[in-house]
């Protein structure tokens, strides 16, 4: 038995107050406007298979959101369901099994239940912004029963994305410097669209990690997506309100750091596998070193899972998204102004970075690591701000890739070397201590050899 499920979190509602009744909190004017603008755009996606039913939490803010969904999709009846208010997934499944094959259900509810139900459907909790809509295909005979097809939130147009970017920038170029170009600021810009696409990418990467936390690339992809977003936010740091920029930056950095040690272990384990030909007995897959590293990774993975299961990590992501949204609203540059600012800053960043490249002390890990991070930031900006520029800055992307590659091995060897020394201090086993120190020495010697080649 199968069909489609559409999970919808209610729109922006009145704040909770100690004296108020949570049941009667209604959508704010801004919440109604946001959903009214968003829903008609995605309505065709919700109704393309026909026979759409809408179930809603009885709470007022959810009912009002459901009414807006019904208006946008021309659905006449809305059915209140208590389990959407309480988050009772078992009761929901009992009700779902009474539906006919090929069901198409839109469920309007609340956090943290939307995230926890997503966990039940696909094995991964996805943070739901207010007004977010997630579309799943479902087969009740499978495990997991669901598959996430798409996830969108207000401001993320299902139709627009970037296909209209080129046309929009042609219009900007045509009217640049004239009174004919009407300004668009805050969230209604190409820059805001790029940021919101990046936010959606983080959500999907977060889900992918939860579905396969053992796969090294899943944690890496999530950290990269967050770093890309931070680089793009940093690009407009001076053009928005510092308070929200700082809040968003700190939140995203904390989230990325959660996966930092896991990534370091993955890099180290891959390095050990590559060195197996040199140290076959020491680095056998079932030997002491690799067994210790795999157990250490499992312990770190379990710690992250606790944060996910408790909802703490999902809440951090929602807080970071909210701060990001607030920052976007404070940026007072229209698309024409943003294009000029983007070109100017890219040139400035590139000149500064290439100057540091000429001056860097390659034996200094802090300098090389910092330069590598800045090269990534510039490459991300040149790549993902292409809709604003009109095309990718291929020369900058190519040059920054070279800088990253040149510094990457040096940085990884230094991190591996120190990590192995820390591991030697963490174990009481003399054989393991010897192995870790031997491998650490090898990492530092390789780094030194590379530095000597550079000096020659």
């Amino acid at each position: 038995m199968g069909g489609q499920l559409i999970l919808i979190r209610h729109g922006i509602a009145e704040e909770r107050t100690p004296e108020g009744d949570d049941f009667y909190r209604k959508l704010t004017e801004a919440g109604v406007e946001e959903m009214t603008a968003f829903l008609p755009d995605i309505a065709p996606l919700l109704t393309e298979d026909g026979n759409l039913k809408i179930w809603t939490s009885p709470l007022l803010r959810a009912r009002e959101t459901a009414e807006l969904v019904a208006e946008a999709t021309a659905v006449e009846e809305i059915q209140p369901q208590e389990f959407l208010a309480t988050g009772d997934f078992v009761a929901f499944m009992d009700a779902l099994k009474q539906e006919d094959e090929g069901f198409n259900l839109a469920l309007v509810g609340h956090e943290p239940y939307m995230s926890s139900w997503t966990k039940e459907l696909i094995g991964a909790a996805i943070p739901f912004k207010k007004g977010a809509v997630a579309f799943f295909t479902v087969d009740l005979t499978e495990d997991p029963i669901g598959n996430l097809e798409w996830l969108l939130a207000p401001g993320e147009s299902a139709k627009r994305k970037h296909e209209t970017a080129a046309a929009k920038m042609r219009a900007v170029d045509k009217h640049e410097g004239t009174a004919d170009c009407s300004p668009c600021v805050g969230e209604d810009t190409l820059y805001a669209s790029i940021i919101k696409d990046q936010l959606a990418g983080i959500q999907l990467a977060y889900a992918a990690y939860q579905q396969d936390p053992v796969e090294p690339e899943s944690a890496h992809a999530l950290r990269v997506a967050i770093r890309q977003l931070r680089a793009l936010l940093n690009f407009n740091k001076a053009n928005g309100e510092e308070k929200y920029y700082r809040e968003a930056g700190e939140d995203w950095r904390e989230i990325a750091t959660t996966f930092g040690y896991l990534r370091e272990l993955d890099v180290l384990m891959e390095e050990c596998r590559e060195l197996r030909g040199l140290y076959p007995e020491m680095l056998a897959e079932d030997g002491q070193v690799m067994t210790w590293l795999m157990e250490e990774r499992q312990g770190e993975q379990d710690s992250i899972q606790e944060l996910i299961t408790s909802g703490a990590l999902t809440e951090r992501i929602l807080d970071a998204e909210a701060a990001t949204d607030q920052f976007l609203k404070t940026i007072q540059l229209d698309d024409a102004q943003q294009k000029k600012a983007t070109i100017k800053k890219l040139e400035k960043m590139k000149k500064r970075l290439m100057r540091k490249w000429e001056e860097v002390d390659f034996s200094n890990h802090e300098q090389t690591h910092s330069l590598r991070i800045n090269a990534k930031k510039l490459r991300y900006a040149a790549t993902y701000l292409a809709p604003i520029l009109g095309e990718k800055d291929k020369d900058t992307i190519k040059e920054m890739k070279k800088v990253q590659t040149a510094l990457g091995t040096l940085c990884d060897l230094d991190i591996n070397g120190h990590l192995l020394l820390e591991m030697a201090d963490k174990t009481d086993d003399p054989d393991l201590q010897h192995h870790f120190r031997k491998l650490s020495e090898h990492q530092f010697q390789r780094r030194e050899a590379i530095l000597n080649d550079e000096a020659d």
Side-chain angles (χ1 to χ4, degrees), residues 25 52 54 104 223 260 308 382 388 445:
R25 287 169 53 208
L52 178 67
I54 300 174
N104 189 22
R223 292 185 77 227
I308 294 172
I388 294 171
Q445 287 176 346

Side-chain angles (χ1 to χ4, degrees), residues 357 379 396-407:
W357 171 254
R379 181 167 68 89
T396 296
I397 294 169
K398 187 176 180 180
E399 287 185 55
M400 292 309 103
K401 187 66 175 177
K402 285 182 179 178
V403 172
Q404 280 182 246
T405 301
L407 299 177

Side-chain angles (χ1 to χ4, degrees), residues 85-104:
T86 62
D88 188 340
F89 188 77
V90 174
F92 160 63
M93 288 300 296
D94 288 341
L96 181 62
K97 290 172 183 176
Q98 304 304 313
E99 293 296 304
D100 294 332
E101 175 74 24
F103 55 79
N104 189 22

Side-chain angles (χ1 to χ4, degrees), residues 10-14 26-39 64-65 68 130-131 154:
H10 66 77
I12 301 170
E14 294 174 334
K26 62 182 180 180
L27 296 182
T28 63
E29 183 177 338
V32 172
E33 290 178 356
E34 187 174 68
M35 295 303 291
T36 301
F38 173 53
L39 288 170
E64 290 180 334
T65 302
L68 294 174
K130 290 183 175 69

